[in-house]
Amino acid sequence: MLRRFRLSQADLMPTVRRLELDWPCSVAMMQRFAGYVTGVPVYHARDPGSRACSPTPVLFLCLQKGLGAYDAAAAESDDRRLLAFVDGLCQEAARLLSGIALFTPDNDCWMAGNGAALHGWLAASDIRGVTVHRSQRRGASPQRVLTAIGQYVVMARERAILERVRRTDAP
């Protein structure tokens, strides 16, 4: 799925390369994020003017948002750019995935806020007949999704760097 993103988003590749040069750990972060959300049902654009309402994978939308935030923070320090990328990526995921729950016919459930990667859940479940439920009562809250994805995607060393930046920025 990441390979498909790279092929279809050629305009973002300079930003991806800059991110990977600045923060080699970002490669692992993007791979972990892809494993976490790969297979989540695609997001259908509601804007009639956008590519004839073609579906866009959630992974693509989140990476676009994170890379856009990284680009927008170009004048900032390295650690602030990383924070912009991670926040953009994870906040978009929280926005798109809160309220979504996937169920197998035998009632196994996956929600983005549970902290388990979808690709691992799919490998361990009988995925024939998986149904998607969209409701705030059934799915995880945006904050829970944000926390779970952040903990899964960002490794401990980088998490400490980002927390230091957040504390510095706090009023």
Side-chain angles (χ1 to χ4, degrees):
M1 194 71 150
L2 273 175
R3 190 173 301 125
R4 205 170 105 208
F5 174 79
R6 288 175 181 266
L7 292 172
S8 69
Q9 307 291 316
D11 57 322
L12 291 174
M13 286 308 98
T15 304
V16 170
R17 283 190 285 282
R18 216 169 32 257
L19 172 64
E20 291 173 347
L21 283 172
D22 289 346
W23 291 95
C25 64
S26 67
V27 174
M29 285 183 199
M30 287 187 276
Q31 290 170 340
R32 291 180 62 79
F33 184 78
Y36 200 90
V37 301
T38 293
V40 171
V42 294
Y43 175 81
H44 293 275
R46 291 195 178 120
D47 177 16
S50 69
R51 296 189 195 176
C53 293
S54 61
T56 304
V58 168
L59 173 67
F60 287 23
L61 294 170
C62 295
L63 285 171
Q64 289 166 352
K65 189 67 133 189
L67 292 167
Y70 187 79
D71 241 359
E76 300 288 331
S77 64
D78 284 352
D79 50 0
R80 289 192 193 311
R81 286 194 310 272
L82 181 64
L83 178 63
F85 169 72
V86 169
D87 280 352
L89 180 79
C90 293
Q91 287 180 16
E92 185 69 359
R95 185 182 75 77
L96 294 172
L97 299 176
S98 64
I100 293 178
L102 278 64
F103 288 92
T104 63
D106 56 347
N107 258 354
D108 261 348
C109 176
W110 179 87
M111 291 184 294
N114 287 349
L118 178 61
H119 115 310
W121 180 79
L122 289 171
S125 299
D126 177 10
I127 60 170
R128 293 175 298 213
V130 169
T131 57
V132 178
H133 296 264
R134 293 178 187 273
S135 118
Q136 285 306 106
R137 290 179 318 162
R138 286 208 150 165
S141 71
Q143 186 57 46
R144 183 172 167 194
V145 173
L146 183 66
T147 300
I149 289 176
Q151 289 176 346
Y152 188 88
V153 170
V154 182
M155 285 73 71
R157 188 178 124 234
E158 288 73 26
R159 192 174 306 124
I161 292 168
L162 298 177
E163 285 306 316
R164 188 185 74 239
V165 172
R166 283 188 180 105
R167 280 193 308 272
T168 303
D169 290 347

mmCIF file of all heavy atoms in Angstrom, residues 105-144:
data_model
loop_
_atom_site.group_PDB
_atom_site.id
_atom_site.type_symbol
_atom_site.label_atom_id
_atom_site.label_comp_id
_atom_site.label_asym_id
_atom_site.label_seq_id
_atom_site.Cartn_x
_atom_site.Cartn_y
_atom_site.Cartn_z
ATOM 1 N N PRO A 105 -18.167 -12.126 11.032
ATOM 2 C CA PRO A 105 -19.437 -12.809 11.307
ATOM 3 C C PRO A 105 -19.522 -13.417 12.708
ATOM 4 O O PRO A 105 -20.608 -13.526 13.275
ATOM 5 C CB PRO A 105 -19.497 -13.901 10.238
ATOM 6 C CG PRO A 105 -18.662 -13.375 9.120
ATOM 7 C CD PRO A 105 -17.560 -12.584 9.787
ATOM 8 N N ASP A 106 -18.372 -13.801 13.302
ATOM 9 C CA ASP A 106 -18.403 -14.366 14.658
ATOM 10 C C ASP A 106 -18.165 -13.289 15.726
ATOM 11 O O ASP A 106 -17.783 -13.593 16.847
ATOM 12 C CB ASP A 106 -17.423 -15.530 14.796
ATOM 13 C CG ASP A 106 -16.005 -15.176 14.433
ATOM 14 O OD1 ASP A 106 -15.778 -14.105 13.834
ATOM 15 O OD2 ASP A 106 -15.104 -15.974 14.747
ATOM 16 N N ASN A 107 -18.424 -12.044 15.383
ATOM 17 C CA ASN A 107 -18.413 -10.891 16.286
ATOM 18 C C ASN A 107 -17.042 -10.465 16.813
ATOM 19 O O ASN A 107 -16.964 -9.799 17.831
ATOM 20 C CB ASN A 107 -19.382 -11.081 17.442
ATOM 21 C CG ASN A 107 -20.635 -10.286 17.214
ATOM 22 O OD1 ASN A 107 -20.736 -9.520 16.256
ATOM 23 N ND2 ASN A 107 -21.599 -10.452 18.100
ATOM 24 N N ASP A 108 -15.957 -10.860 16.142
ATOM 25 C CA ASP A 108 -14.657 -10.267 16.445
ATOM 26 C C ASP A 108 -14.717 -8.827 15.984
ATOM 27 O O ASP A 108 -15.304 -8.524 14.950
ATOM 28 C CB ASP A 108 -13.542 -10.975 15.662
ATOM 29 C CG ASP A 108 -12.799 -11.989 16.488
ATOM 30 O OD1 ASP A 108 -12.972 -11.996 17.708
ATOM 31 O OD2 ASP A 108 -12.028 -12.755 15.888
ATOM 32 N N CYS A 109 -14.100 -7.928 16.748
ATOM 33 C CA CYS A 109 -14.208 -6.505 16.433
ATOM 34 C C CYS A 109 -12.831 -5.853 16.381
ATOM 35 O O CYS A 109 -11.959 -6.162 17.190
ATOM 36 C CB CYS A 109 -15.072 -5.814 17.491
ATOM 37 S SG CYS A 109 -15.188 -4.032 17.289
ATOM 38 N N TRP A 110 -12.648 -4.946 15.431
ATOM 39 C CA TRP A 110 -11.468 -4.097 15.365
ATOM 40 C C TRP A 110 -11.915 -2.644 15.328
ATOM 41 O O TRP A 110 -12.820 -2.278 14.586
ATOM 42 C CB TRP A 110 -10.629 -4.375 14.119
ATOM 43 C CG TRP A 110 -9.414 -3.485 14.041
ATOM 44 C CD1 TRP A 110 -8.205 -3.723 14.606
ATOM 45 C CD2 TRP A 110 -9.301 -2.215 13.389
ATOM 46 N NE1 TRP A 110 -7.340 -2.677 14.351
ATOM 47 C CE2 TRP A 110 -7.992 -1.740 13.601
ATOM 48 C CE3 TRP A 110 -10.185 -1.424 12.653
ATOM 49 C CZ2 TRP A 110 -7.545 -0.519 13.099
ATOM 50 C CZ3 TRP A 110 -9.741 -0.211 12.161
ATOM 51 C CH2 TRP A 110 -8.434 0.227 12.375
ATOM 52 N N MET A 111 -11.297 -1.837 16.178
ATOM 53 C CA MET A 111 -11.482 -0.388 16.150
ATOM 54 C C MET A 111 -10.102 0.241 16.227
ATOM 55 O O MET A 111 -9.215 -0.291 16.905
ATOM 56 C CB MET A 111 -12.313 0.083 17.353
ATOM 57 C CG MET A 111 -13.751 -0.338 17.316
ATOM 58 S SD MET A 111 -14.699 0.341 18.694
ATOM 59 C CE MET A 111 -13.959 -0.470 20.093
ATOM 60 N N ALA A 112 -9.921 1.363 15.566
ATOM 61 C CA ALA A 112 -8.616 2.019 15.535
ATOM 62 C C ALA A 112 -8.142 2.402 16.934
ATOM 63 O O ALA A 112 -6.942 2.479 17.176
ATOM 64 C CB ALA A 112 -8.672 3.255 14.644
ATOM 65 N N GLY A 113 -9.040 2.619 17.862
ATOM 66 C CA GLY A 113 -8.666 3.027 19.208
ATOM 67 C C GLY A 113 -8.232 1.897 20.117
ATOM 68 O O GLY A 113 -7.851 2.133 21.262
ATOM 69 N N ASN A 114 -8.266 0.665 19.630
ATOM 70 C CA ASN A 114 -7.887 -0.474 20.472
ATOM 71 C C ASN A 114 -6.385 -0.688 20.570
ATOM 72 O O ASN A 114 -5.922 -1.479 21.377
ATOM 73 C CB ASN A 114 -8.548 -1.759 19.979
ATOM 74 C CG ASN A 114 -10.027 -1.783 20.287
ATOM 75 O OD1 ASN A 114 -10.526 -0.944 21.034
ATOM 76 N ND2 ASN A 114 -10.735 -2.729 19.711
ATOM 77 N N GLY A 115 -5.616 -0.037 19.697
ATOM 78 C CA GLY A 115 -4.162 -0.164 19.746
ATOM 79 C C GLY A 115 -3.584 -1.333 18.976
ATOM 80 O O GLY A 115 -2.383 -1.557 19.015
ATOM 81 N N ALA A 116 -4.414 -2.085 18.278
ATOM 82 C CA ALA A 116 -3.937 -3.218 17.480
ATOM 83 C C ALA A 116 -3.999 -2.862 16.001
ATOM 84 O O ALA A 116 -4.956 -2.246 15.541
ATOM 85 C CB ALA A 116 -4.805 -4.446 17.742
ATOM 86 N N ALA A 117 -2.968 -3.261 15.268
ATOM 87 C CA ALA A 117 -2.917 -2.979 13.835
ATOM 88 C C ALA A 117 -3.984 -3.788 13.105
ATOM 89 O O ALA A 117 -4.201 -4.961 13.400
ATOM 90 C CB ALA A 117 -1.545 -3.321 13.280
ATOM 91 N N LEU A 118 -4.631 -3.151 12.155
ATOM 92 C CA LEU A 118 -5.658 -3.830 11.372
ATOM 93 C C LEU A 118 -5.069 -4.997 10.594
ATOM 94 O O LEU A 118 -5.684 -6.050 10.512
ATOM 95 C CB LEU A 118 -6.348 -2.855 10.416
ATOM 96 C CG LEU A 118 -7.411 -3.478 9.510
ATOM 97 C CD1 LEU A 118 -8.531 -4.096 10.344
ATOM 98 C CD2 LEU A 118 -7.965 -2.456 8.551
ATOM 99 N N HIS A 119 -3.892 -4.836 10.053
ATOM 100 C CA HIS A 119 -3.338 -5.911 9.226
ATOM 101 C C HIS A 119 -3.112 -7.180 10.055
ATOM 102 O O HIS A 119 -3.345 -8.281 9.593
ATOM 103 C CB HIS A 119 -2.120 -5.398 8.462
ATOM 104 C CG HIS A 119 -0.807 -5.985 8.790
ATOM 105 N ND1 HIS A 119 -0.316 -6.102 10.052
ATOM 106 C CD2 HIS A 119 0.151 -6.488 8.000
ATOM 107 C CE1 HIS A 119 0.877 -6.654 10.030
ATOM 108 N NE2 HIS A 119 1.177 -6.889 8.792
ATOM 109 N N GLY A 120 -2.730 -7.047 11.311
ATOM 110 C CA GLY A 120 -2.590 -8.213 12.190
ATOM 111 C C GLY A 120 -3.929 -8.823 12.549
ATOM 112 O O GLY A 120 -4.078 -10.043 12.605
ATOM 113 N N TRP A 121 -4.940 -7.970 12.785
ATOM 114 C CA TRP A 121 -6.287 -8.447 13.103
ATOM 115 C C TRP A 121 -6.863 -9.200 11.915
ATOM 116 O O TRP A 121 -7.458 -10.265 12.090
ATOM 117 C CB TRP A 121 -7.180 -7.270 13.484
ATOM 118 C CG TRP A 121 -8.583 -7.646 13.821
ATOM 119 C CD1 TRP A 121 -9.035 -8.178 14.998
ATOM 120 C CD2 TRP A 121 -9.737 -7.524 12.991
ATOM 121 N NE1 TRP A 121 -10.399 -8.387 14.946
ATOM 122 C CE2 TRP A 121 -10.852 -7.990 13.715
ATOM 123 C CE3 TRP A 121 -9.937 -7.058 11.691
ATOM 124 C CZ2 TRP A 121 -12.133 -8.012 13.197
ATOM 125 C CZ3 TRP A 121 -11.220 -7.076 11.167
ATOM 126 C CH2 TRP A 121 -12.307 -7.548 11.920
ATOM 127 N N LEU A 122 -6.663 -8.673 10.716
ATOM 128 C CA LEU A 122 -7.178 -9.333 9.517
ATOM 129 C C LEU A 122 -6.522 -10.692 9.318
ATOM 130 O O LEU A 122 -7.180 -11.660 8.918
ATOM 131 C CB LEU A 122 -6.960 -8.459 8.276
ATOM 132 C CG LEU A 122 -7.817 -7.208 8.183
ATOM 133 C CD1 LEU A 122 -7.345 -6.328 7.021
ATOM 134 C CD2 LEU A 122 -9.290 -7.554 8.022
ATOM 135 N N ALA A 123 -5.230 -10.784 9.599
ATOM 136 C CA ALA A 123 -4.504 -12.046 9.437
ATOM 137 C C ALA A 123 -4.995 -13.110 10.409
ATOM 138 O O ALA A 123 -4.986 -14.302 10.096
ATOM 139 C CB ALA A 123 -3.009 -11.824 9.613
ATOM 140 N N ALA A 124 -5.452 -12.689 11.590
ATOM 141 C CA ALA A 124 -5.881 -13.634 12.624
ATOM 142 C C ALA A 124 -7.379 -13.899 12.606
ATOM 143 O O ALA A 124 -7.860 -14.745 13.353
ATOM 144 C CB ALA A 124 -5.479 -13.100 13.995
ATOM 145 N N SER A 125 -8.132 -13.198 11.764
ATOM 146 C CA SER A 125 -9.591 -13.328 11.771
ATOM 147 C C SER A 125 -10.105 -13.952 10.485
ATOM 148 O O SER A 125 -9.433 -13.934 9.462
ATOM 149 C CB SER A 125 -10.241 -11.946 11.910
ATOM 150 O OG SER A 125 -9.854 -11.339 13.106
ATOM 151 N N ASP A 126 -11.317 -14.458 10.571
ATOM 152 C CA ASP A 126 -12.011 -14.926 9.373
ATOM 153 C C ASP A 126 -12.628 -13.677 8.742
ATOM 154 O O ASP A 126 -13.636 -13.166 9.228
ATOM 155 C CB ASP A 126 -13.095 -15.929 9.752
ATOM 156 C CG ASP A 126 -13.893 -16.393 8.543
ATOM 157 O OD1 ASP A 126 -13.486 -16.096 7.399
ATOM 158 O OD2 ASP A 126 -14.928 -17.050 8.741
ATOM 159 N N ILE A 127 -11.992 -13.179 7.694
ATOM 160 C CA ILE A 127 -12.405 -11.886 7.153
ATOM 161 C C ILE A 127 -13.538 -11.976 6.137
ATOM 162 O O ILE A 127 -14.001 -10.956 5.653
ATOM 163 C CB ILE A 127 -11.219 -11.118 6.541
ATOM 164 C CG1 ILE A 127 -10.581 -11.906 5.407
ATOM 165 C CG2 ILE A 127 -10.213 -10.772 7.613
ATOM 166 C CD1 ILE A 127 -9.578 -11.112 4.617
ATOM 167 N N ARG A 128 -14.005 -13.178 5.856
ATOM 168 C CA ARG A 128 -15.161 -13.282 4.963
ATOM 169 C C ARG A 128 -16.368 -12.690 5.671
ATOM 170 O O ARG A 128 -16.676 -13.044 6.802
ATOM 171 C CB ARG A 128 -15.434 -14.736 4.595
ATOM 172 C CG ARG A 128 -14.348 -15.360 3.741
ATOM 173 C CD ARG A 128 -14.654 -16.800 3.546
ATOM 174 N NE ARG A 128 -14.648 -17.420 4.894
ATOM 175 C CZ ARG A 128 -14.274 -18.622 5.166
ATOM 176 N NH1 ARG A 128 -13.900 -19.411 4.208
ATOM 177 N NH2 ARG A 128 -14.288 -19.101 6.388
ATOM 178 N N GLY A 129 -16.982 -11.753 5.037
ATOM 179 C CA GLY A 129 -18.180 -11.168 5.614
ATOM 180 C C GLY A 129 -17.927 -10.099 6.647
ATOM 181 O O GLY A 129 -18.793 -9.823 7.476
ATOM 182 N N VAL A 130 -16.747 -9.472 6.635
ATOM 183 C CA VAL A 130 -16.478 -8.370 7.562
ATOM 184 C C VAL A 130 -17.435 -7.234 7.244
ATOM 185 O O VAL A 130 -17.638 -6.880 6.092
ATOM 186 C CB VAL A 130 -15.017 -7.880 7.460
ATOM 187 C CG1 VAL A 130 -14.814 -6.580 8.208
ATOM 188 C CG2 VAL A 130 -14.077 -8.932 8.001
ATOM 189 N N THR A 131 -18.055 -6.700 8.275
ATOM 190 C CA THR A 131 -18.959 -5.568 8.092
ATOM 191 C C THR A 131 -18.391 -4.340 8.793
ATOM 192 O O THR A 131 -17.689 -4.446 9.795
ATOM 193 C CB THR A 131 -20.365 -5.858 8.644
ATOM 194 O OG1 THR A 131 -20.251 -6.197 10.026
ATOM 195 C CG2 THR A 131 -21.036 -6.986 7.884
ATOM 196 N N VAL A 132 -18.706 -3.186 8.236
ATOM 197 C CA VAL A 132 -18.237 -1.924 8.781
ATOM 198 C C VAL A 132 -19.408 -1.223 9.435
ATOM 199 O O VAL A 132 -20.468 -1.074 8.831
ATOM 200 C CB VAL A 132 -17.665 -1.024 7.659
ATOM 201 C CG1 VAL A 132 -17.215 0.309 8.220
ATOM 202 C CG2 VAL A 132 -16.534 -1.725 6.939
ATOM 203 N N HIS A 133 -19.230 -0.820 10.669
ATOM 204 C CA HIS A 133 -20.252 -0.065 11.384
ATOM 205 C C HIS A 133 -19.707 1.332 11.628
ATOM 206 O O HIS A 133 -18.593 1.493 12.119
ATOM 207 C CB HIS A 133 -20.588 -0.730 12.727
ATOM 208 C CG HIS A 133 -21.193 -2.074 12.572
ATOM 209 N ND1 HIS A 133 -22.538 -2.290 12.592
ATOM 210 C CD2 HIS A 133 -20.617 -3.280 12.367
ATOM 211 C CE1 HIS A 133 -22.777 -3.574 12.418
ATOM 212 N NE2 HIS A 133 -21.623 -4.195 12.279
ATOM 213 N N ARG A 134 -20.499 2.326 11.312
ATOM 214 C CA ARG A 134 -20.112 3.719 11.534
ATOM 215 C C ARG A 134 -21.088 4.321 12.525
ATOM 216 O O ARG A 134 -22.236 4.567 12.193
ATOM 217 C CB ARG A 134 -20.167 4.509 10.233
ATOM 218 C CG ARG A 134 -19.144 4.067 9.232
ATOM 219 C CD ARG A 134 -19.284 4.860 7.941
ATOM 220 N NE ARG A 134 -18.418 4.335 6.918
ATOM 221 C CZ ARG A 134 -17.158 4.685 6.746
ATOM 222 N NH1 ARG A 134 -16.625 5.587 7.522
ATOM 223 N NH2 ARG A 134 -16.432 4.146 5.810
ATOM 224 N N SER A 135 -20.598 4.518 13.732
ATOM 225 C CA SER A 135 -21.428 5.135 14.752
ATOM 226 C C SER A 135 -20.539 5.515 15.922
ATOM 227 O O SER A 135 -19.637 4.764 16.295
ATOM 228 C CB SER A 135 -22.523 4.161 15.182
ATOM 229 O OG SER A 135 -22.458 3.817 16.510
ATOM 230 N N GLN A 136 -20.753 6.673 16.465
ATOM 231 C CA GLN A 136 -19.949 7.122 17.589
ATOM 232 C C GLN A 136 -20.121 6.213 18.800
ATOM 233 O O GLN A 136 -19.233 6.088 19.622
ATOM 234 C CB GLN A 136 -20.295 8.568 17.963
ATOM 235 C CG GLN A 136 -19.737 9.589 17.007
ATOM 236 C CD GLN A 136 -18.241 9.466 16.799
ATOM 237 O OE1 GLN A 136 -17.788 9.004 15.762
ATOM 238 N NE2 GLN A 136 -17.463 9.861 17.775
ATOM 239 N N ARG A 137 -21.264 5.567 18.930
ATOM 240 C CA ARG A 137 -21.466 4.672 20.072
ATOM 241 C C ARG A 137 -20.632 3.413 19.943
ATOM 242 O O ARG A 137 -20.187 2.856 20.927
ATOM 243 C CB ARG A 137 -22.939 4.288 20.194
ATOM 244 C CG ARG A 137 -23.812 5.434 20.636
ATOM 245 C CD ARG A 137 -25.233 4.994 20.706
ATOM 246 N NE ARG A 137 -25.505 4.171 19.536
ATOM 247 C CZ ARG A 137 -26.506 3.343 19.401
ATOM 248 N NH1 ARG A 137 -27.370 3.202 20.349
ATOM 249 N NH2 ARG A 137 -26.686 2.643 18.308
ATOM 250 N N ARG A 138 -20.442 2.914 18.723
ATOM 251 C CA ARG A 138 -19.719 1.659 18.542
ATOM 252 C C ARG A 138 -18.225 1.838 18.386
ATOM 253 O O ARG A 138 -17.451 1.048 18.866
ATOM 254 C CB ARG A 138 -20.250 0.935 17.304
ATOM 255 C CG ARG A 138 -21.590 0.330 17.550
ATOM 256 C CD ARG A 138 -21.712 -0.826 16.655
ATOM 257 N NE ARG A 138 -22.576 -1.792 17.294
ATOM 258 C CZ ARG A 138 -23.115 -2.788 16.676
ATOM 259 N NH1 ARG A 138 -22.888 -2.956 15.406
ATOM 260 N NH2 ARG A 138 -23.887 -3.628 17.309
ATOM 261 N N GLY A 139 -17.809 2.857 17.659
ATOM 262 C CA GLY A 139 -16.389 3.059 17.398
ATOM 263 C C GLY A 139 -15.724 3.855 18.501
ATOM 264 O O GLY A 139 -16.365 4.369 19.412
ATOM 265 N N ALA A 140 -14.417 3.949 18.409
ATOM 266 C CA ALA A 140 -13.642 4.681 19.408
ATOM 267 C C ALA A 140 -13.738 6.188 19.172
ATOM 268 O O ALA A 140 -13.947 6.640 18.062
ATOM 269 C CB ALA A 140 -12.185 4.235 19.338
ATOM 270 N N SER A 141 -13.558 6.950 20.225
ATOM 271 C CA SER A 141 -13.581 8.408 20.140
ATOM 272 C C SER A 141 -12.323 8.900 19.411
ATOM 273 O O SER A 141 -11.311 8.196 19.369
ATOM 274 C CB SER A 141 -13.607 9.013 21.541
ATOM 275 O OG SER A 141 -12.345 8.822 22.156
ATOM 276 N N PRO A 142 -12.367 10.113 18.850
ATOM 277 C CA PRO A 142 -11.178 10.642 18.181
ATOM 278 C C PRO A 142 -9.945 10.688 19.091
ATOM 279 O O PRO A 142 -8.842 10.363 18.658
ATOM 280 C CB PRO A 142 -11.601 12.060 17.760
ATOM 281 C CG PRO A 142 -13.087 11.996 17.651
ATOM 282 C CD PRO A 142 -13.514 11.010 18.705
ATOM 283 N N GLN A 143 -10.111 11.061 20.349
ATOM 284 C CA GLN A 143 -8.966 11.130 21.265
ATOM 285 C C GLN A 143 -8.377 9.750 21.518
ATOM 286 O O GLN A 143 -7.162 9.586 21.556
ATOM 287 C CB GLN A 143 -9.366 11.791 22.589
ATOM 288 C CG GLN A 143 -8.195 12.020 23.520
ATOM 289 C CD GLN A 143 -7.088 12.857 22.891
ATOM 290 O OE1 GLN A 143 -7.341 13.891 22.278
ATOM 291 N NE2 GLN A 143 -5.844 12.406 23.014
ATOM 292 N N ARG A 144 -9.227 8.758 21.664
ATOM 293 C CA ARG A 144 -8.744 7.394 21.894
ATOM 294 C C ARG A 144 -8.000 6.870 20.663
ATOM 295 O O ARG A 144 -6.958 6.231 20.788
ATOM 296 C CB ARG A 144 -9.923 6.478 22.236
ATOM 297 C CG ARG A 144 -9.503 5.075 22.567
ATOM 298 C CD ARG A 144 -10.662 4.280 23.087
ATOM 299 N NE ARG A 144 -10.315 2.869 23.117
ATOM 300 C CZ ARG A 144 -11.173 1.904 23.270
ATOM 301 N NH1 ARG A 144 -12.456 2.189 23.440
ATOM 302 N NH2 ARG A 144 -10.787 0.661 23.280
#
